[in-house]
Amino acid sequence: MAVRRGVGLVLVLVLLACIVSFGGLLAIWLMVGSEPSVPSRSTLVLRIDGDPIEGGPDDGFRQFLPVQHAPSVRALVENIRKAKLDRRVAAMVVRPTGLQSPYLAKIQEVRDAILDFRRSGKPAIAYLEDGGQTEYYLATSCDHIFVAPSR
């Protein structure tokens, strides 16, 4: 009789653990699985503050850490391509600042994605507050370049 109660208790605990796990997975899916609400005729503002990192697969755990990391080239290119296909996005403003790397391969990849975005008929506009050769090179992929006046 005591063995039967022990087995029953273990089965109830396992069932309870499964229900709690399923509830947690469902809550995570509801939080992560929904699209952000984007109003019609929106403009994507693409801020590139510092050199984009060369990233492998995105680390899902990294988003919960308080330290902000520079966006990866892959994330920038994917977001530009999503904006190209999204009917709610009407234009893009590119704001590059602080690009220090002398190697232009990562910037070339982002630049190619901006050129691809423009092929959809949507305008891309660059706004340079201050910048050097790398920022200007990225800005040349846009329809228009606006430069903030110097002091």
Side-chain angles (χ1 to χ4, degrees):
M1 190 66 137
V3 173
R4 198 174 221 181
R5 281 187 190 167
V7 170
L9 180 64
V10 168
L11 288 176
V12 167
L13 291 175
V14 167
L15 182 63
L16 194 64
C18 288
I19 291 171
V20 169
S21 297
F22 179 73
L25 288 174
L26 182 63
I28 290 172
W29 180 77
L30 289 173
M31 287 189 303
V32 175
S34 63
E35 275 188 7
S37 73
V38 177
S40 181
R41 311 262 321 137
S42 294
T43 299
L44 170 66
V45 177
L46 186 66
R47 285 197 152 143
I48 305 174
D49 297 326
D51 292 319
I53 59 172
E54 194 63 46
D58 289 332
D59 183 8
F61 183 70
R62 188 182 303 181
Q63 66 184 335
F64 298 110
L65 297 177
V67 177
Q68 288 290 341
H69 298 281
S72 68
V73 175
R74 176 181 171 191
L76 289 170
V77 170
E78 282 182 14
N79 287 333
I80 294 169
R81 289 192 178 139
K82 286 178 187 177
K84 173 189 170 188
L85 299 173
D86 195 339
R87 293 181 188 156
R88 300 169 294 181
V89 176
M92 177 171 47
V93 174
V94 180
R95 296 185 68 178
T97 56
L99 302 176
Q100 300 295 324
S101 176
Y103 307 110
L104 296 179
K106 295 185 276 188
I107 299 302
Q108 177 67 42
E109 201 168 334
V110 176
R111 187 178 188 278
D112 289 343
I114 294 170
L115 290 170
D116 186 47
F117 175 86
R118 287 183 51 205
R119 283 189 206 103
S120 69
K122 299 176 183 181
I125 299 164
Y127 179 72
L128 299 175
E129 292 178 19
D130 61 346
Q133 178 181 1
T134 309
E135 288 86 0
Y136 188 72
Y137 175 68
L138 183 62
T140 59
S141 64
C142 297
D143 294 307
H144 301 284
I145 301 172
F146 292 95
V147 180
S150 61
R151 296 179 209 169

